[in-house]
Amino acid sequence: MKISDSRRASRMGDQILRELSSILMEEVSDPRLERVTLSGVRMNANLRIAEVLFTTSGDEEKIKAARQGLEKASGYLRSQLGKKMRIQFVPELRFTHDTFLEDMVYAKPDEDDS
């Protein structure tokens, strides 16, 4: 997926992030998503795909369960986005675990240094 760096894509990504965060807090009751935090949205060049970055605490099993919960709720999330944002085309939502904060805080060593 080619990430867009246009101003329009950035504004749309920010709005999607705000709306999705609100929907997850207020309307979604899946226990797998209780400790999920959305950390960013990257749009592709034609604004048809939104890559939603999320973080959560726990091991690989919790991360996998959170991703499955988000993917299961994606249809509902898209329909709610369409109602709240009033845009002609609601982008496809793809969920990716964001490891940036973990990498910076815990300073994971480079794999090739060993």
Side-chain angles (χ1 to χ4, degrees):
M1 177 175 97
K2 185 173 191 274
I3 304 296
S4 175
D5 58 352
S6 73
R7 191 169 168 189
R8 180 174 181 218
S10 176
R11 284 194 330 258
M12 188 172 187
D14 289 345
Q15 186 177 6
I16 288 172
L17 179 64
R18 281 192 307 272
E19 296 296 343
L20 282 178
S21 296
S22 172
I23 294 167
L24 279 176
M25 282 191 330
E26 298 169 4
E27 301 174 29
V28 177
S29 61
D30 190 333
R32 296 176 289 189
L33 304 179
E34 285 178 353
R35 298 204 178 253
V36 170
T37 302
L38 302 183
S39 56
V41 174
R42 295 188 286 215
M43 302 298 297
N44 75 334
N46 65 1
L47 306 178
R48 298 289 180 163
I49 300 171
E51 181 181 21
V52 181
L53 304 170
F54 72 93
T55 61
T56 188
S57 60
D59 57 357
E60 288 297 321
E61 285 297 316
K62 293 216 183 233
I63 293 168
K64 184 178 176 182
R67 181 178 288 119
Q68 289 172 345
L70 287 167
E71 288 171 357
K72 183 170 178 160
S74 66
Y76 176 75
L77 295 172
R78 280 187 74 190
S79 69
Q80 292 302 105
L81 273 178
K83 291 175 187 174
K84 292 180 183 237
M85 291 180 62
R86 297 181 185 207
I87 52 178
Q88 185 174 7
F89 182 83
V90 179
E92 173 189 341
L93 301 175
R94 295 184 182 171
F95 299 97
T96 304
H97 182 247
D98 186 8
T99 60
F100 177 77
L101 188 60
E102 294 169 7
D103 294 344
M104 296 306 291
V105 170
Y106 299 115
K108 292 183 182 175
D110 291 337
E111 307 258 336
D112 55 345
D113 287 345
S114 3

